[in-house]
Amino acid sequence: MEKRIGFIGLGNMGINIAKNLINAGYHLQVYNRTLSKANELDPAYTTPCKTPADAASGVHIVITMLTDDEVLKEITLGDQGILEGLPEHALHISMSTVSPETAEQLAALHNEAGSHYLAAPVFGRPEAAEARKLWICVSGDQHAKDTAKPVLDCLGQGIIDFGEATGGANVIKIAGNFMIMASMEMMAEAFTLAEKNGLDRAQVAGFFGSTLFNAPIFQNYGKLIAGKQYEPVGFKSKLGYKDARLAFKLSQASETPMPLVNALHSRLLTAVAKGRGDTDWIEGISRGVSEDAGV
Amino acid sequence: MEKRIGFIGLGNMGINIAKNLINAGYHLQVYNRTLSKANELDPAYTTPCKTPADAASGVHIVITMLTDDEVLKEITLGDQGILEGLPEHALHISMSTVSPETAEQLAALHNEAGSHYLAAPVFGRPEAAEARKLWICVSGDQHAKDTAKPVLDCLGQGIIDFGEATGGANVIKIAGNFMIMASMEMMAEAFTLAEKNGLDRAQVAGFFGSTLFNAPIFQNYGKLIAGKQYEPVGFKSKLGYKDARLAFKLSQASETPMPLVNALHSRLLTAVAKGRGDTDWIEGISRGVSEDAGV
Amino acid sequence: MEKRIGFIGLGNMGINIAKNLINAGYHLQVYNRTLSKANELDPAYTTPCKTPADAASGVHIVITMLTDDEVLKEITLGDQGILEGLPEHALHISMSTVSPETAEQLAALHNEAGSHYLAAPVFGRPEAAEARKLWICVSGDQHAKDTAKPVLDCLGQGIIDFGEATGGANVIKIAGNFMIMASMEMMAEAFTLAEKNGLDRAQVAGFFGSTLFNAPIFQNYGKLIAGKQYEPVGFKSKLGYKDARLAFKLSQASETPMPLVNALHSRLLTAVAKGRGDTDWIEGISRGVSEDAGV
Amino acid sequence: MEKRIGFIGLGNMGINIAKNLINAGYHLQVYNRTLSKANELDPAYTTPCKTPADAASGVHIVITMLTDDEVLKEITLGDQGILEGLPEHALHISMSTVSPETAEQLAALHNEAGSHYLAAPVFGRPEAAEARKLWICVSGDQHAKDTAKPVLDCLGQGIIDFGEATGGANVIKIAGNFMIMASMEMMAEAFTLAEKNGLDRAQVAGFFGSTLFNAPIFQNYGKLIAGKQYEPVGFKSKLGYKDARLAFKLSQASETPMPLVNALHSRLLTAVAKGRGDTDWIEGISRGVSEDAGV
């Protein structure tokens, strides 16, 4: 079995995924905009590369974990991009949160070039990535999924197949992030209502998180929202806003009116407009609710 | 220990609660608008009464489980109402979903009359009531809570104390129903987005319900929303609308802007305006989302 | 012709209306919470009264111009209220902005007492009241309208008849105030969009006010919104919020989903929650738009 | 003075503009996707062309009036597009409703090619175009405005200068169309509220249109909305939706949260999703309000 793969994108998520791949015995050809990030990886299993094309050269699999559609397109299609280096028949596993439209466009270009593209976005915060607890959603053709499976098995607690259409997994990722944001807004509103009626936010969060809403999302975010504990910054408001935009755009493209997406888009756009793009998205949402209520 | 108590309100919830009280050895003085409902209860432990005052006569505890603020006020304060029958020092345990404002008003009137009022709204569908799995939220003075405890212990899996202020538990109940409705809307939007992008609603619901949103709310409602399965009717849209109004009114009274409450209020108001007040609230919400999307 | 009438409510609007009645030759029996306000009126034509009942005694017409439903009800139905003084067959002309529900309730109570009630809310700022430029909307039975006509003719530039149903004119008044608020929000959003794109707010307001939107509402409010000129305070945000609540309540009562009413209710509730209830409603709306945009 | 100019786009608006140019003595080199439309023009003053490049050849001015950003870009930049034919130093007067972003992109490309681009979007329905009653908003460099002036003077009742920045006039056009749509929604909501409270829609529209809202927008649209008179189709819902998208996109690009834009975007997206994209935008908005209210 080929154990050398390309890996591009060493952000909070990517770095943890890369470590798990190395722990599983893979040797990584790494590219990152700030290449020094690669120093955190075991040098015996790491080959730093100066371009995405270099990282993709000679391997049968390259993985990307990048910020948004524009960066992914640039890294893939740009000068010295992945498509210039990736061998024929090789596979690009794309784990970023991007639109299905971008996924379809990139898949078509890989096909033209004789290579393959697999959408494989994930659910989970950096800690989940580190603990190999990601949920990995895949969509695309079966052969690509089979090729990717041994690699993805090292990274998460489950691989869920959303069919043959290229962008299916991207739709799920966008829908899921919308649901997470809606859950945060819902809690922020409910806790603020309780606070303004003389109740203790922490008790309210604890009650719902241990009874009707006893899922980690509500327990973990609930605790932070109840405590108005917005640091350290895990996921920035401006990235949350990006995801709200993806959801909005997808609702436009598929003609699906979504009032809650509207509400969240407004919430995060307001946070960004007020200069809070770099705060945690929990703050972007929860502080907005509090301020509107004058507390 | 006194085992004779008053019980008023034999709707879907009340009838199951009454049965559990009888199973626990209580004898019930029962009043219901449609008194024939009392025939479902063991006659050896049931005394049907012609008025709320009769049901409240000579007992140390009377329990009410009624539709809304207006009915509760009429049953309590009206001609031949509870306050005309309830002995001095006796306790009214009020399990209905009503506003904290109504709770405070009734508590004051009980105090004037020398009796007591305890807010004790519950979370759980009729099945949960039957299975003694309710979550019971209480607020008010400690003595009332102590008196109510042995009775409430027969009915739920937990009693949660939200403090001394009369209406605290009502605030929690309203906040919780809002969160349930927001969860339904969120799922309806997400599943419809997925559907219009070629995915299978049931798979999407199954995925979220078993991973990020693995709480019963998302699993149970999720399955029904995914399948557009709106019958049998469990909880009517017009009652959901009533709860949305309670949330809206509370947001006004406490000056707490809540965009998601607005969205849900509009959703259910639209369902009622379209003549769907008697459908299940799942239909009131989910069908609204589908129709707006043209599917 | 009887030239002695009762007049209750000497706020910004009422005082100007009262002056015009005196100018028209009427003698006023005046009641106001702060009775010293009556000193602004010509003493030869003014009889200050200590209670609403006194102001209504012995006249065939009493006019009220009050803040809201609660005050109108208290003044009419309370101890020493209008109904205790108003002679049989006399007419109460109610010019306040109140709900049709309140109007119907009061009309019924007047009928029981042998007197009459006419809804006659007005459009126009205090300057319009002073200049006898009010638009007066009336609804109710024909006899009451005939009786009121000579008095109302002294106050406005037109009396518009909205039918026999008691509350029709109140519906129009609520709908109109909603349209005014929506116009302000619309302009605030458009001007802020223009500002953030490098254009001059004043030029934009001037353009629209002199072309497509060449109505006084857009010209006058437009200029103030463009200039962010929020003082002096003409009509308070908390009164605007009251009107938004009236519109919202009416939309509930008549099952009419109104998304723009929702948006305005949120806008003004937020202003009030932030402690800006006493600012002009132009500020309550326009500053909210600006702040959300970070300018 | 050169009296030969290029003219591209013979839709409802373009055909009337073209006629007025011919009436003013211009000879037009015409291109339209459906070229037979040119038969409606006086053949003595019309030269039909097979490509945009042909229409732009040898003239000092070419005018475009097209559906949206994509069509304008294709006509300008595509194979046999305007830029392939337009002489050096010549001017492209762009009257379409497009984003400022598109305007800036096209202006830059014209500059590179040695020619000029002027944003000149207009307000007015086809009847206004026919009657030379358009309001023409321009932005860009002074020389281009001077060149365009004699031509534009033949077409409207006023030319308003929104500065040197290329896209300023586009911002105004987008803001204005938003205000028109918001006015329609506002009226539809108010009239439906009145209708459900037993009033006559036509009387309500007549009252507001002749008093507070005595501007043509409210009078003309108000009459159609009151009468639910949705035919003939003047401006399609799908074009209204396009404009709502432009407004939404601009609010994103300039970080300006706009709740009313959200509401209108949802309204028209719903109309399109329900298969009503080809109805008049008055129907797209007004019928949506009615249906949500169950009437």
Side-chain angles (χ1 to χ4, degrees), chain D residues 215-234:
Chain D
I217 291 272
F218 291 91
Q219 290 158 347
N220 301 340
Y221 286 108
K223 195 174 171 184
L224 298 172
I225 290 169
K228 300 183 184 178
Q229 183 187 325
Y230 304 139
E231 293 184 333
V233 173

Side-chain angles (χ1 to χ4, degrees), chain A residues 1 9 14 16-17 59 63 95 104 112 114 128 142 157 164 169 182 188 192 195 212 220 223 236 241 244 250-251:
Chain A
M1 176 194 167
N16 285 300
I17 293 172
V59 297
I63 295 177
M95 306 186 87
E104 281 151 24
E112 280 178 26
Q142 190 57 45
Q157 61 182 310
E164 300 277 318
T192 303
E195 175 188 358
L212 288 77
N220 301 340
K223 197 176 171 184
K236 291 184 178 178
Y241 176 51
L250 191 56
S251 92

Side-chain angles (χ1 to χ4, degrees), chain D residues 137-168:
Chain D
C137 301
V138 297
S139 56
D141 66 62
Q142 190 56 46
H143 181 71
K145 289 172 198 165
D146 293 343
T147 306
K149 187 169 187 308
V151 174
L152 299 181
D153 277 339
C154 310
L155 302 175
Q157 61 182 308
I159 303 173
I160 304 93
D161 185 346
F162 286 98
E164 300 278 318
T166 305

Side-chain angles (χ1 to χ4, degrees), chain C residues 3-258:
Chain C
K3 299 293 274 186
R4 191 174 189 93
I5 61 183
F7 195 92
I8 298 175
L10 296 176
N12 291 340
M13 291 296 289
I15 193 78
N16 285 300
I17 292 172
K19 285 177 186 170
N20 282 326
L21 289 169
I22 287 172
N23 289 342
Y26 287 98
H27 185 102
L28 305 185
Q29 299 184 173
V30 172
Y31 173 78
N32 193 52
R33 206 176 37 179
T34 309
L35 195 46
S36 58
K37 267 295 245 177
N39 297 339
E40 295 182 29
L41 301 176
D42 183 339
Y45 293 85
T46 307
T47 303
C49 300
K50 291 192 176 156
T51 68
D54 288 348
S57 289
V59 297
H60 78 301
I61 288 180
V62 62
I63 296 177
T64 50
M65 178 51 107
L66 300 161
T67 314
D68 59 25
D69 294 59
E70 285 63 40
V71 174
L72 175 61
K73 285 186 197 174
E74 174 62 24
I75 289 287
T76 306
L77 309 175
D79 187 38
Q80 293 296 311
I82 289 172
L83 282 187
E84 292 188 8
L86 196 65
E88 216 180 334
H89 304 306
L91 173 64
H92 176 176
I93 302 177
S94 174
M95 306 186 88
S96 316
T97 299
V98 295
S99 69
E101 191 186 0
T102 289
E104 282 151 23
Q105 182 189 340
L106 291 180
L109 291 168
H110 280 72
N111 280 352
E112 279 178 26
S115 56
H116 305 281
Y117 177 95
L118 182 71
V122 303
F123 286 102
R125 304 262 288 187
E127 312 83 79
E130 188 178 2
R132 300 175 52 193
K133 289 276 180 71
L134 296 174
W135 297 104
I136 306 172
C137 300
V138 297
S139 56
D141 67 61
Q142 190 57 45
H143 181 70
K145 290 171 197 162
D146 293 342
T147 305
K149 188 169 187 308
V151 174
L152 299 180
D153 277 340
C154 310
L155 302 176
Q157 61 181 311
I159 303 173
I160 304 94
D161 185 347
F162 286 98
E164 299 278 319
T166 305
N170 301 105
V171 172
I172 289 298
K173 173 61 183 165
I174 290 169
N177 273 21
F178 151 63
M179 287 177 67
I180 294 169
M181 288 189 279
S183 299
M184 289 197 278
E185 171 78 22
M186 174 202 305
M187 285 189 282
E189 293 186 16
F191 299 171
T192 303
L193 183 74
E195 175 188 357
K196 293 202 76 171
N197 280 281
L199 295 166
D200 177 53
R201 290 170 70 102
Q203 190 195 9
V204 176
F207 168 61
F208 285 122
S210 61
T211 56
L212 289 76
F213 292 88
N214 58 338
I217 291 273
F218 292 91
Q219 291 158 347
N220 300 341
Y221 286 108
K223 196 175 172 185
L224 298 173
I225 291 169
K228 299 183 185 178
Q229 182 187 325
Y230 304 139
E231 293 184 333
V233 173
F235 188 72
K236 291 184 177 179
S237 289
K238 66 186 176 193
L239 291 178
Y241 175 52
K242 183 207 74 167
D243 288 349
R245 287 180 76 147
L246 283 176
F248 195 90
K249 199 175 154 194
L250 191 56
S251 93
Q252 288 181 320
S254 58
E255 295 180 357
T256 313
M258 298 175 77

Side-chain angles (χ1 to χ4, degrees), chain D:
Chain D
M1 179 194 166
E2 164 78 30
K3 298 293 274 184
R4 192 174 189 93
I5 60 184
F7 194 93
I8 299 176
L10 296 175
N12 290 340
M13 291 295 290
I15 192 78
N16 285 301
I17 292 172
K19 286 177 184 170
N20 282 326
L21 288 169
I22 287 172
N23 288 342
Y26 288 97
H27 186 104
L28 305 185
Q29 299 184 173
V30 171
Y31 173 79
N32 193 54
R33 203 176 40 179
T34 310
L35 196 46
S36 59
K37 267 296 246 178
N39 297 340
E40 296 181 26
L41 302 175
D42 183 339
Y45 293 85
T46 307
T47 304
C49 301
K50 292 193 175 154
T51 67
D54 288 349
S57 289
V59 297
H60 78 302
I61 288 180
V62 63
I63 295 176
T64 51
M65 178 51 108
L66 300 161
T67 312
D68 59 25
D69 293 59
E70 286 62 41
V71 174
L72 175 61
K73 285 187 197 175
E74 174 62 24
I75 290 287
T76 306
L77 309 175
D79 187 38
Q80 292 296 309
I82 289 171
L83 281 187
E84 291 189 9
L86 196 65
E88 218 179 335
H89 304 305
L91 173 65
H92 176 176
I93 302 176
S94 174
M95 307 187 87
S96 316
T97 299
V98 296
S99 69
E101 191 186 359
T102 290
E104 282 151 24
Q105 182 189 339
L106 292 180
L109 292 168
H110 281 73
N111 280 352
E112 279 178 27
S115 56
H116 305 282
Y117 177 94
L118 182 71
V122 303
F123 286 102
R125 306 262 288 188
E127 310 84 78
E130 186 178 3
R132 299 175 52 193
K133 289 274 180 73
L134 296 174
W135 297 104
I136 306 172
C137 301
V138 297
S139 56
D141 66 62
Q142 190 56 46
H143 181 71
K145 289 172 198 165
D146 293 343
T147 306
K149 187 169 187 308
V151 174
L152 299 181
D153 277 339
C154 310
L155 302 175
Q157 61 182 308
I159 303 173
I160 304 93
D161 185 346
F162 286 98
E164 300 278 318
T166 305
N170 301 105
V171 172
I172 290 296
K173 174 61 183 165
I174 290 169
N177 272 20
F178 151 62
M179 287 176 66
I180 294 169
M181 287 190 278
S183 299
M184 289 197 280
E185 170 78 23
M186 174 200 309
M187 286 188 282
E189 293 186 17
F191 299 172
T192 304
L193 183 73
E195 174 187 358
K196 292 202 75 172
N197 279 281
L199 295 167
D200 177 52
R201 290 170 70 101
Q203 189 194 8
V204 177
F207 167 62
F208 285 121
S210 62
T211 57
L212 289 76
F213 292 88
N214 57 338
I217 291 272
F218 291 91
Q219 290 158 347
N220 301 340
Y221 286 108
K223 195 174 171 184
L224 298 172
I225 290 169
K228 300 183 184 178
Q229 183 187 325
Y230 304 139
E231 293 184 333
V233 173
F235 188 72
K236 291 185 178 178
S237 289
K238 67 185 176 194
L239 291 178
Y241 175 51
K242 183 208 73 168
D243 288 350
R245 288 180 76 147
L246 284 175
F248 194 90
K249 201 175 154 193
L250 191 56
S251 93
Q252 288 182 321
S254 58
E255 294 181 357
T256 313
M258 299 174 77
L260 298 198
V261 169
N262 280 10
L264 288 158
H265 185 281
S266 292
R267 177 70 70 204
L268 286 158
L269 169 55
T270 301
V272 170
K274 285 186 167 180
R276 297 177 188 159
D278 288 321
T279 64
D280 194 276
W281 65 340
I282 301 174
E283 178 167 357
I285 290 173
S286 174
R287 188 170 159 195
V289 173
S290 293
E291 283 188 356
D292 282 351
V295 288

